Amino acid sequence: MTMRRAAALAFALAAVPAAVAAQTAVDDTGARILFETRLRSETVDQQGFVDQAHALTLRARLGWRSSTMHGLQLLVEGEGVAVLDDRYSAPVDPVPGRPAVADGETLELNRAQVRWTGLPDTEVVAGRQRLVVGNSRFVGNVGWRQNEQTFDAVRMTTTALKPVTLTWVFADRVQRPLGHEHAQGVWRGGIHLLQAAADTPVGRLSAFGLAIDLDNAPAQSSTTIGARLTGSRPVADELSLTWAGEYAVQSDNGSNPNDYALNFQAAAVGLQTSRWSAGLGYERFDGDGLSGFQTPLGTGHGFLGWSDVITTTPAFGIRDLFLRGHLGVPAWGRTVRLTAEAHVFQDADGAFDLGQELDLSAALPIDRHWSVELKAAHFVGSHPAFGDADKAWMSLEYRY
């Protein structure tokens, strides 16, 4: 066991009694201990590799949030990831013959921020922080990975111009899930985001502009302008029709060596009740033969399937037609959430197939702190660039 692994494991285990003690403390000041931990097993069987990948990792976050005084509130949080089974290729510790799992050892400052609410209907947060904008497609924390993505940023959100909610973000550093020891684990540069959102008669409408200019990842520099509409309407007792639509235009920015202008379109329609939902969706990422429409700061997992075989848009683009549904099943005095997805991938123009995928999961909240999840993804490739892959996860999570 390396010194880093021992340090990360010590961080994770030492945090547990601290959280238990905090549960019994009476908090009458507004301050709060922040603690969460997740133990996860991930298995990958992927075409082109001699062996399977087996990863057992333990993630813990421990922090503190102050009470609010004169509109100011402080928050600091550390994060550690310990690797308990390393039979996989980690971001900075590759293992020949085994597939990659993007969870490596790390011990770092996850968040350190100041929040100010001194102006009416306005919040300003400065420092290292978690950013999840909209559905996290374009800016997110990549929460599926053990080491989440955070930003050194200033964010201002205001509802003073009712009914419009305005969000402005400037960031100059991105701590990526790969870890700070990876060559691309930290991105530096200028990131500007402006988003306006409001409720309309046909749903929640949001429009945004995102400009990315990265010093050490120039190929990821781009300007994206887009809009998203989501809504629902009752059609019968306890039954609602849901819909979503999204469109964006992206072009190169800053020192990006490529010259392109590409589109993204998405649409979905479905039905839902309090116990189940089902929907049909379509997404299209353009490609011009040299570049593809990208979302480098977003949370990719969960959009183009759970297998993450397709993590970036190839130069010929992607078309994804999918079915998605969930069902809540009562069990042991709780509700088990069953989720299923089926995807058919093609190039953006539909000229050739890329693959098909089936995703299944079952999540059970044990109580208000503990939860467990079983999850699997089965990808069958139809293109040389995307081989077959089977992935399975078992997770046990605690949130204080």
Side-chain angles (χ1 to χ4, degrees):
M1 180 178 288
T2 64
M3 289 299 292
R4 171 167 290 279
R5 187 182 303 173
L9 181 58
F11 175 91
L13 296 180
V16 175
V20 174
Q23 281 185 272
T24 60
V26 177
D27 182 8
D28 57 1
T29 66
R32 178 176 172 81
I33 295 292
L34 305 174
F35 176 74
E36 59 182 84
T37 186
R38 179 168 65 191
L39 177 68
R40 181 163 69 197
S41 170
E42 180 169 347
T43 303
V44 182
D45 187 359
Q46 192 165 349
Q47 185 177 354
F49 293 90
V50 176
D51 299 314
Q52 290 185 343
H54 299 271
L56 180 63
T57 55
L58 177 64
R59 191 273 310 283
R61 297 183 188 136
L62 177 63
W64 175 76
R65 186 186 66 200
S66 75
S67 58
T68 301
M69 297 182 63
H70 306 293
L72 290 172
Q73 184 182 64
L74 306 178
L75 185 152
V76 62
E77 179 183 67
E79 180 179 68
V81 179
V83 177
L84 308 179
D85 185 346
D86 61 0
R87 291 176 292 165
Y88 68 99
S89 286
V92 295
D93 295 306
V95 176
R98 292 191 185 272
V101 175
D103 289 327
E105 291 179 337
T106 187
L107 186 62
E108 61 186 48
L109 179 66
N110 195 49
R111 291 188 289 170
Q113 65 185 50
V114 178
R115 176 175 175 264
W116 182 60
T117 54
L119 293 176
D121 303 317
T122 301
E123 175 188 77
V124 179
V125 180
R128 183 163 297 182
Q129 58 187 284
R130 176 183 296 140
L131 292 178
V132 178
V133 179
N135 64 351
S136 80
R137 184 189 296 276
F138 291 96
V139 178
N141 69 326
V142 195
W144 172 246
R145 300 271 46 115
Q146 294 285 56
N147 179 20
E148 77 169 332
Q149 179 167 274
T150 58
F151 299 77
D152 292 355
V154 178
R155 171 175 57 89
M156 181 180 71
T157 304
T158 181
T159 58
L161 303 176
K162 294 180 176 62
V164 177
T165 298
L166 287 177
T167 301
W168 169 80
V169 174
F170 169 74
D172 63 1
R173 187 180 174 101
V174 186
Q175 285 68 230
R176 305 181 66 219
L178 297 173
H180 57 271
E181 293 185 356
H182 191 277
Q184 289 291 300
V186 178
W187 279 348
R188 302 173 183 85
I191 300 166
H192 299 265
L193 170 73
L194 181 62
Q195 177 178 272
D199 290 325
T200 74
V202 292
R204 181 77 171 175
L205 177 65
S206 61
F208 73 93
L210 173 64
I212 305 171
D213 187 3
L214 299 174
D215 299 334
N216 60 332
Q220 302 297 332
S221 299
S222 63
T223 298
T224 306
I225 299 173
R228 175 175 170 80
L229 176 70
T230 60
S232 65
R233 179 164 298 173
V235 293
D237 290 343
E238 298 187 359
L239 180 65
S240 295
L241 174 70
T242 64
W243 60 86
E246 195 167 3
Y247 179 79
V249 178
Q250 185 177 92
S251 59
D252 57 284
N253 186 36
S255 54
N256 193 321
N258 301 314
D259 182 10
Y260 65 88
L262 301 169
N263 297 330
F264 163 74
Q265 306 98 35
V269 63
L271 295 170
Q272 71 174 18
T273 70
S274 59
R275 289 192 60 241
W276 61 266
S277 68
L280 172 68
Y282 168 86
E283 295 183 354
R284 184 180 190 273
F285 296 79
D286 269 356
D288 62 7
L290 295 174
S291 302
F293 189 108
Q294 306 294 346
T295 58
L297 302 181
T299 298
H301 183 84
F303 286 107
L304 294 173
W306 301 347
S307 72
D308 293 329
V309 170
I310 304 175
T311 56
T312 59
T313 305
F316 45 71
I318 298 174
R319 176 183 293 182
D320 177 20
L321 181 65
F322 60 88
L323 290 168
R324 179 177 294 152
H326 95 273
L327 174 66
V329 179
W332 304 292
R334 302 287 186 268
T335 299
V336 179
R337 182 180 175 89
L338 305 177
T339 303
E341 297 186 4
H343 297 259
V344 176
F345 301 105
Q346 296 177 308
D347 70 299
D349 295 327
F352 52 87
D353 293 336
L354 302 182
Q356 301 83 40
E357 179 165 329
L358 176 64
D359 301 323
L360 301 171
S361 76
L364 173 65
I366 300 172
D367 58 25
R368 69 186 187 94
H369 296 297
W370 292 93
S371 62
V372 63
E373 182 178 25
L374 303 177
K375 188 170 177 177
H378 174 63
F379 180 89
V380 179
S382 304
H383 188 275
F386 306 107
D388 298 350
D390 290 300
K391 297 188 178 183
W393 302 269
M394 293 185 293
S395 301
L396 176 66
E397 189 164 0
Y398 175 91
R399 291 179 179 269
Y400 170 66

